C-alpha cells in the first residue's frame, strides 16, 4: 500500500497510468464492445465504406462512385491495400475487425500527438495526464468509435491532433504531410492545415512548465 501511495505521488506515474488506462479502455471497447447491428456491424455510412473497401480489395467495380464515396476514397484504398497485404479476406465481419485495429492504432498516434501538444503548451506532467484523459475518455473515442468502427472520424480527429501538435512544436514538414493526409480523410483537413502553415507559431522563450 505504501509503494502505491509513493507511485501515485509521482507525476510521471500518473501520466503513464492515464496513457495505459486510455489504451486499455479503447482496446477492450473496440475489440470486445457492442457493435451496431445493420449490415453485419458496419452500419449506414459504414456499409458504404465497407462496400468500397471490399470492391477495392477484390479489384471489382461493384461500388457506384458518388461525391460521398470519392471524399473517402483514399482511406478506403489504404484499408483495402492493408487487408490485401495481410491477406485478410474482405468480408464485412473482417472489415469491422480490421477497422477496430485501424482505429486503435490511431488512438496510439493520438496519444503521441496529445503529449506533443502538452509540450508545445508547456504543460506540466500532470497537465499532460489531464489532457490525455480529457481528449480520449469521452463518447466519440470510447463509445462511438467502438460501436460504429467503419467510419473515418477517428482517423480525421487524430490527424487534426497531429496537425496541432506539429504546429505547436514547429514540425512544419510533418504538419504539411498530416494536413494533406487529413484532407484525404476529411474534406476540411486542408482548410485547417493551410492557416497553420501560412501563420507559423512564434517560438517563445523557454520557461518552466505551468502548474497545470
Amino acid at each position: 500500500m505504501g509503494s502505491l501511495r509513493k507511485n501515485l505521488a509521482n507525476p510521471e506515474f500518473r501520466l503513464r497510468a492515464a496513457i495505459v488506462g486510455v489504451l486499455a479502455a479503447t482496446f477492450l471497447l473496440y475489440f470486445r464492445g457492442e457493435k451496431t447491428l445493420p449490415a453485419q456491424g458496419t452500419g449506414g455510412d459504414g456499409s458504404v465504406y465497407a462496400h468500397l473497401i471490399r470492391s477495392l480489395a477484390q479489384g471489382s467495380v461493384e461500388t457506384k462512385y458518388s461525391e460521398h464515396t470519392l471524399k473517402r476514397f483514399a482511406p478506403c484504398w489504404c484499408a483495402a491495400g492493408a487487408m490485401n497485404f495481410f491477406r485478410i479476406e474482405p468480408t464485412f465481419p473482417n472489415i469491422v475487425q480490421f477497422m477496430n485495429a485501424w482505429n486503435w492504432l490511431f488512438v496510439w498516434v493520438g496519444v503521441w500527438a496529445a503529449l506533443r501538444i502538452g509540450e508545445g503548451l508547456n504543460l506540466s506532467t500532470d497537465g499532460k495526464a489531464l489532457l490525455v484523459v480529457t481528449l480520449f475518455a469521452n463518447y466519440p473515442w470510447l463509445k462511438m468509435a467502438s460501436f460504429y468502427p467503419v467510419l473515418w472520424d477517428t482517423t480525421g480527429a487524430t490527424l487534426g491532433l497531429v496537425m496541432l501538435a506539429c504546429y505547436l512544436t514547429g514540425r512544419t514538414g510533418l504538419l504539411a504531410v498530416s494536413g494533406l493526409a487529413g484532407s484525404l480523410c476529411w474534406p476540411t483537413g486542408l482548410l485547417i492545415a493551410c492557416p497553420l502553415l501560412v501563420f507559423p507559431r512564434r517560438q517563445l522563450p523557454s520557461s518552466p512548465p505551468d502548474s497545470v
Side-chain angles (χ1 to χ4, degrees):
M1 195 69 179
S3 61
L4 177 60
R5 288 176 180 168
K6 183 178 179 180
N7 286 331
L8 289 175
N10 183 353
E12 290 292 340
F13 178 84
R14 293 196 291 269
L15 175 58
R16 289 194 294 269
I19 294 171
V20 170
V22 164
L23 294 176
T26 50
F27 179 86
L28 289 174
L29 287 169
Y30 286 11
F31 290 97
R32 305 297 297 174
E34 182 185 18
K35 304 298 176 191
T36 184
L37 295 178
Q40 302 180 62
T42 61
D45 285 356
S47 65
V48 176
Y49 306 141
H51 274 108
L52 182 54
I53 291 170
R54 184 173 66 183
S55 176
L56 291 169
Q58 295 176 338
S60 62
V61 290
E62 65 174 80
T63 299
K64 293 182 179 179
Y65 294 101
S66 63
E67 181 183 356
H68 187 66
T69 54
L70 288 175
K71 285 179 180 178
R72 305 292 188 273
F73 180 87
C76 289
W77 179 81
C78 291
M83 293 188 73
N84 280 339
F85 179 81
F86 290 108
R87 298 182 179 181
I88 302 172
E89 185 181 358
T91 63
F92 273 25
N94 286 347
I95 290 172
V96 168
Q97 288 303 316
F98 176 84
M99 289 302 299
N100 287 331
W102 176 287
N103 290 333
W104 195 59
L105 174 63
F106 272 85
V107 173
W108 282 77
V109 177
V111 169
W112 173 87
L115 296 177
R116 302 292 80 77
I117 291 170
E119 290 177 5
L121 295 176
N122 205 30
L123 296 182
S124 66
T125 303
D126 278 334
K128 293 176 185 176
L130 182 61
L131 180 64
V132 169
V133 173
T134 302
L135 285 174
F136 297 100
N138 50 51
Y139 170 80
W141 291 90
L142 292 181
K143 181 60 179 178
M144 183 174 176
S146 65
F147 184 73
Y148 210 156
V150 190
L151 290 177
W152 303 108
D153 299 54
T154 302
T155 306
T158 301
L159 291 172
L161 290 176
V162 171
M163 283 190 277
L164 178 57
C166 293
Y167 174 76
L168 293 174
T169 56
R171 294 177 167 92
T172 306
L174 186 55
L175 171 58
V177 172
S178 58
L180 178 60
S183 68
L184 296 174
C185 298
W186 208 254
T188 56
L190 200 58
L191 297 178
I192 296 171
C194 284
L196 300 181
L197 290 167
V198 173
F199 304 104
R201 188 189 191 209
R202 292 185 300 166
Q203 292 299 320
L204 301 178
S206 60
S207 59
D210 293 336
S211 58
V212 176

